[in-house]
Amino acid sequence: RDGGPPQGGRHAPDNIFHLLQNGMSFDLGLEPPSFRNSTAVQEFIARVDADFHLVLVLELLDESLVLLRRLMCWDLQHLVYVKLSVQNDFSSSISPDIREKIEQWNSVDLQLYQHFYNKMKKIISEQDEEFHKEVALLRDMNTDLWRNCYSNMLPVYNNNKLGYVLNETHKSNLTCKVLATDDVTQTHVISLKQYKDVLKPNDVLMVRNHMQNQRKHNLAMLEWGDVSKVLGPEKLKTTKIKDEV
């Protein structure tokens, strides 16, 4: 079956394919029954290409970010970043046979990735000298940020994530803390700010506990004391949560 899983193995029921197979394509709108339909897959990729003016590629992140900056008219300093996820020893030691099976099982995602990777390479090849100077400048800015903000970088969560230690001179620097904070915590913090007037006490407590647990692995991330101020003293009082570090 074109684009389907390897023959001879157990197949997951169609209603849970999106949890196990081609997750990226499913999230972008391709239904599991179409995974095996090469025509539907090509139409899906063309539709995604038409819907998104620019698709960033992780392996070409700096170049992708500079293109995004130009598209959105942003300042380059707003694109500095900190690496929080890394490829661990397990993923880099996968045998060629297993890697091939993974690629077969996720063949639609692979086609989607290859399409936008090749497109990004083509876009980069068409850029002028000023573009490549911007890419180099962004890398220099990232290096300066990492050197100024952090004194150490530590692998955590079985080497899947990176944790940081703040330099003594930047222990109160919110930019350094925010950039070292993972996406899940960032989402919680944004929700606290947006829905602070309707949040239930248990929701606030959940965020506080989550942040305290995360900081055991990443001392440079935002502290509860950095974000609880947005709730105000009355909210903290009603939730019976102290404004603590």
Side-chain angles (χ1 to χ4, degrees), residues 95-160:
S95 69
D97 179 60
I98 296 299
R99 186 176 299 275
E100 182 180 0
K101 285 182 170 61
I102 292 173
E103 291 177 352
Q104 289 176 1
W105 181 251
N106 294 282
S107 61
V108 181
D109 274 3
L110 182 61
Q111 292 177 69
L112 184 68
Y113 165 79
Q114 289 175 333
H115 172 84
F116 284 106
Y117 178 84
N118 292 335
K119 182 177 180 179
M120 179 59 71
K121 291 287 287 186
K122 183 176 185 299
I123 293 173
I124 293 171
S125 71
E126 296 169 348
Q127 300 305 304
D128 57 17
E129 183 179 352
E130 286 303 311
F131 169 83
H132 295 286
K133 287 181 179 179
E134 276 194 57
V135 173
L137 179 57
L138 176 60
R139 289 170 177 160
D140 289 341
M141 293 170 67
N142 274 330
T143 299
D144 289 341
L145 176 109
W146 299 340
R147 182 173 58 247
N148 292 329
C149 283
Y150 313 112
S151 61
N152 201 4
M153 180 175 66
L154 305 169
V156 295
Y157 294 115
N158 296 320
N159 293 334
N160 281 308

Side-chain angles (χ1 to χ4, degrees), residues 193-244:
K193 293 180 178 180
Q194 289 182 330
Y195 305 111
K196 63 180 180 180
D197 294 330
V198 297
L199 282 174
K200 297 178 180 179
N202 284 345
D203 294 329
V204 180
L205 183 62
M206 181 273 293
V207 175
R208 195 280 306 270
N209 291 344
H210 166 82
M211 293 185 69
Q212 290 182 341
N213 287 331
Q214 288 295 102
R215 288 200 79 250
K216 295 176 183 177
H217 306 282
N218 185 3
L219 293 174
M221 66 173 281
L222 286 169
E223 303 171 58
W224 173 246
D226 295 324
V227 300
S228 62
K229 297 180 181 66
V230 304
L231 298 175
E234 289 302 315
K235 189 69 175 182
L236 290 173
K237 183 178 179 181
T238 58
T239 57
K240 299 180 180 178
I241 299 176
K242 294 181 180 180
D243 185 8
E244 59 190 14

